[in-house]
Amino acid sequence: MCFAVLSNKTRALKPQTNDVPYVNLQLLSSLKACAGASAGALVATVMITAPDKLQHCKEFTYRFASNVRSQRFGAVTPGYDFMLELREGIEEILPPNAHQLANERLHVSITHSKTRKNSMVSSFTSREDLIKVLLASCFVPVYAGVKPVEFQGQKWIDGGFTDSLPILPVGRTITVSPFSGPQDISPAHKGISKLHLRLANMSVVFSKDNIIRLNEALFPSSLPRLKALEQEGYQDAVHFLKKERWIQ
């Protein structure tokens, strides 16, 4: 569920608008590369290929979550095609040359369905190849369907099973996680537990709040709750950027 970004930003940015006072296109354009698994891979892809569509992505996420929530048994409801709706959203957002923009700048974590070995894909020969890799990185068996995603003659599943927090080999990687832990940007841990678990290359606090967050990732909450989570994530990001003196 996480993504990582590599930035060469060395000077502070002033807010430009009331709608997105800190996260602006100037800051996003400074990114050299992004990496991620599952939903994090989707976010990383948008940041690399279509940063001007972040608002569009938020609207799609709310709509997607609402559709999943409306199903009797959520994503596993018979007759509901989770992966098809995700594909339609990806196709709607990615520009025609997305694969060219992503080539060697986007690193997507996927897991081989049989060997359970991780692969990091950063070369995309076509837009369709990019879409397939993203779908593979998001495919959770049973939850998202029964047939793994095929890419280059092999079958793949969620990259979060083997490397949920890819670290890029050059420069500084800014790590982002929806779970409380030692990542650069993540929810603050408010409990007394100091027990950390190592899950697919990511350290998280073993806590009730993180268990709730995992449940919310699979079974989307109401729109007000999603908006509250969005605001919390925004504040976490602002706190980090201020701490690093990348914004004023």
Side-chain angles (χ1 to χ4, degrees), residues 20 29 47 60 68 79 92 116 129 132 135 138 188 204 206 217:
V20 282
S29 66
M47 293 178 71
F60 166 72
V68 172
E92 182 181 320
R116 292 299 192 266
D129 268 1
K132 285 183 178 179
L135 291 174
C138 294
V204 300
F206 181 70

Side-chain angles (χ1 to χ4, degrees), residues 50-178:
D52 57 318
K53 290 189 176 181
L54 288 173
Q55 179 63 31
H56 187 147
C57 291
K58 183 174 70 173
E59 294 169 356
F60 166 72
T61 300
Y62 287 158
R63 186 171 68 250
F64 192 8
S66 176
N67 289 343
V68 172
R69 195 167 55 248
S70 68
Q71 306 300 316
R72 185 175 182 182
F73 301 110
V76 298
T77 301
Y80 175 66
D81 196 331
F82 178 92
M83 295 300 287
L84 176 60
E85 185 162 1
L86 179 57
R87 169 183 269 275
E88 290 174 348
I90 293 173
E91 290 182 338
E92 182 181 320
I93 292 167
L94 294 188
N97 65 335
H99 59 293
Q100 296 170 329
L101 296 171
N103 212 38
E104 303 306 328
R105 292 188 65 211
L106 175 68
H107 304 259
V108 180
S109 173
I110 57 178
T111 301
H112 196 278
S113 65
K114 291 185 178 180
T115 66
R116 292 299 192 266
K117 291 185 177 181
N118 181 267
S119 181
M120 202 68 64
V121 183
S122 59
S123 179
F124 311 96
T125 59
S126 67
R127 186 173 182 269
E128 177 61 19
D129 268 1
L130 173 58
I131 292 174
K132 285 183 178 179
V133 170
L134 292 175
L135 291 174
S137 190
C138 294
F139 184 83
V140 178
V142 181
Y143 178 84
V146 295
K147 294 182 179 180
V149 177
E150 187 169 326
F151 171 65
Q152 293 185 342
Q154 301 290 322
K155 294 182 179 180
W156 306 88
I157 60 175
D158 195 329
F161 288 121
T162 48
D163 191 350
S164 59
L165 195 71
I167 304 298
L168 299 174
V170 179
R172 178 184 178 182
T173 298
I174 303 170
T175 54
V176 185
S177 172

